[in-house]
Amino acid sequence: MAGFRANNRVTPATLTSQTVIVAELDGKPVAFASGDKRADHFYLDFLFVAPEAQGIGLGRLLIDAVEDHMRQSGHRRLMLESDANAVGFYKRLGFAVLTERDSTMIPGLRIPLMERELAPSVLPLQRVALRFDPAARWAFETDNEAAIAAHWAEALARNPHMWNGRMLQTTDIAIDAAGTLSGTCAEIAFASFIAWRDWGCPDRRGGNVFGSAVVRAAGGELLFGVMGPKTANNGLIYPPGGSLDLGDLTEAGTVDLEGSIARELMEETGLKVEDAEAGALFAVRDGPRLSVARELRFNRPARQLRDDMLAHSRATEEQELSDILVLERPSDLPSAKVPAFSRLIARHLLG
C-alpha cells in the first residue's frame, strides 16, 4: 500500500494543473476524477470513489461529467490506464483496450491502456416526435422534494425575479438513423430543474430538451444573446431559446418544438421566424442537455439585427437579453460563460 500511495498521490500541484471534478453526497466529497487535455484527446489520470459510496453509480456519473467537459474543449477521445480490477467497469461503459504494459509495481501484472470515443455531438434532424405523458413523474423530483424546496428558496433570495413555473423534462431520448428525435415528456417544476442543473445533473435518466433559434445575418454572422440579470442564466451566452413548457403541447399530446423556437425568438428578440429563411435543423448533444437548433437566415445586416433585438429586449419587462454578440468565427466567443451546446453550434455553422 505504501507503494500505491507513493504512485497515486494527489498533490496541490496535481489539483492546479489538471481538471478536477468532485462528486458530493449529502455535502461530503466522496469521489473525484481528474485529468488533462492533450493534443488529440483528454487523458484521465484518476477516478476514485470512497468505499462507502461505491455501487451507487458515482463512477459512471463522473465519466459523464468528464465527457461534458470534453465537449466544451472540443476533444473527442477519452484515454486512461485502468487498474487491472477496473477493466470490466470501463468495458461496460464502452471503453476498448488499445494496448497493455507491464506493471512497475506488481510483477506479472499487465496494465491496459483504454480508449473511448465520444459519439458525434451534432446530428442532423428530419423531424421531432416528442410526446407528453400526463401521468409521468420524474423520480429526481419526487425523491428530493425537500432539498429542492430549500435550494429554490436560496436561489430566489439571490434572484427574486425568477418564477417557479411548470416545464417539461424528457426521458427515453433517442435519435434514429432517419433523423427522428423521439422521447417522452413529463411535467415538472422549474425549481426541480434548477436544482438538477445546479447539482451537476446527477440523474441522467432525464434530460433537458429545448429549442434554439440560431439567428444568422445577411453576411453569414451568428447573433447570440447574453442573458440578463433577471433570468436564471444571468451572463450566459447562447442563441435565443428556452425550455419546453405546457404551452408547447398540442391537442394530440405531442410537443410543438418548432413552435417553441418561434415563441422564444419572438419573446426575447422581437424577430419572427416567418421573416427568415429556414436553414438546417439539427440536434446538439451537451451531456444531459439536448438543443434542437434551427438556423434562421435574415436578409438584414448583423448590426441592424443586433440593434433591433436589443431595442426589443430593453422595452420588455423581463429584459431577457442584456447584450447581443455578433460572431464571425467561433473564436469570437469568450472563454467563459458559454455553455458547451452554444459553442458547438458556433463551430458547426461557422467552421
Side-chain angles (χ1 to χ4, degrees):
M1 289 306 299
F4 276 106
R5 290 189 181 100
N7 191 59
N8 292 307
R9 183 161 300 281
V10 178
T11 67
T14 308
L15 299 179
T16 55
S17 64
Q18 295 189 346
T19 296
V20 184
I21 301 174
V22 178
E24 295 181 352
L25 192 61
D26 298 327
K28 176 186 176 182
V30 292
F32 80 99
S34 72
D36 52 21
K37 293 174 282 190
R38 302 191 179 178
D40 63 345
H41 66 278
F42 187 92
Y43 187 83
L44 189 66
D45 263 326
F46 298 102
L47 177 63
F48 287 105
V49 180
E52 66 272 18
Q54 292 178 3
I56 61 173
L58 288 179
R60 180 186 296 268
L61 184 62
L62 281 169
I63 291 291
D64 288 341
V66 168
E67 292 192 347
D68 293 348
H69 177 75
M70 290 170 59
R71 288 184 180 90
Q72 184 81 14
S73 64
H75 286 74
R76 288 285 307 277
R77 290 195 303 148
L78 177 59
M79 300 183 69
L80 56 86
E81 281 192 344
S82 171
D83 180 282
N85 296 319
V87 173
F89 165 77
Y90 289 116
K91 283 186 174 179
R92 288 192 296 274
L93 294 183
F95 285 82
V97 176
L98 295 178
T99 186
E100 293 181 335
R101 65 169 178 82
D102 290 327
S103 170
T104 58
M105 299 181 62
I106 302 177
L109 184 67
R110 301 282 289 172
I111 302 297
L113 176 66
M114 307 186 74
E115 175 192 63
R116 176 167 130 176
E117 186 165 348
L118 270 66
S121 295
V122 180
L123 294 171
L125 288 180
Q126 297 300 320
R127 62 186 290 261
V128 176
L130 299 178
R131 295 197 62 83
F132 174 63
D133 181 357
R137 297 293 179 268
W138 188 25
F140 173 83
E141 182 175 60
T142 56
D143 293 346
N144 298 280
E145 187 175 353
I148 289 170
H151 183 77
W152 177 252
E154 294 172 358
L156 205 57
R158 294 191 299 271
N159 186 354
H161 299 287
M162 293 196 302
W163 176 61
N164 188 18
R166 308 299 291 177
M167 58 173 286
L168 302 178
Q169 187 80 336
T170 310
T171 59
D172 306 320
I173 301 170
I175 301 176
D176 65 20
T180 297
L181 168 65
S182 61
T184 302
C185 294
E187 179 184 350
I188 68 167
F190 183 64
S192 301
F193 166 75
I194 291 296
W196 175 76
R197 182 200 69 180
D198 292 351
W199 296 342
C201 309
D203 183 350
R204 299 284 171 129
R205 293 168 293 181
N208 179 222
V209 177
F210 57 94
S212 295
V214 187
V215 177
R216 193 156 206 171
E221 306 94 335
L222 302 182
L223 285 86
F224 284 12
V226 181
M227 301 307 294
K230 293 184 178 181
T231 71
N233 295 320
N234 181 26
L236 293 187
I237 301 165
Y238 52 83
S243 295
L244 301 172
D245 61 34
L246 300 178
D248 299 317
L249 299 179
T250 69
E251 292 183 358
T254 60
V255 178
D256 183 8
L257 205 148
E258 293 258 28
S260 175
I261 290 174
R263 173 175 54 81
E264 293 285 350
L265 178 67
M266 181 63 187
E267 289 177 358
E268 292 184 24
T269 71
L271 299 178
K272 300 178 182 179
V273 293
E274 53 264 32
D275 293 337
E277 177 188 351
L281 182 71
F282 53 96
V284 182
R285 288 173 171 159
D286 178 9
R289 295 162 292 274
L290 190 141
S291 166
V292 176
R294 170 66 81 180
E295 182 186 4
L296 297 167
R297 303 172 185 143
F298 289 85
N299 190 26
R300 291 153 66 184
R303 180 58 58 183
Q304 179 187 346
L305 278 171
R306 179 181 182 274
D307 290 346
D308 291 345
M309 293 164 72
L310 279 176
H312 172 85
S313 181
R314 289 166 180 164
T316 64
E317 181 180 351
E318 295 80 7
Q319 298 186 5
E320 292 191 60
L321 304 179
S322 63
D323 199 1
I324 303 288
L325 299 188
V326 177
L327 312 177
E328 296 181 1
R329 57 192 67 84
S331 59
D332 290 339
L333 284 169
S335 59
K337 292 287 189 177
V338 183
F341 79 88
S342 182
R343 201 174 296 279
L344 287 164
I345 289 173
R347 287 177 185 152
H348 179 66
L349 293 178
L350 295 177

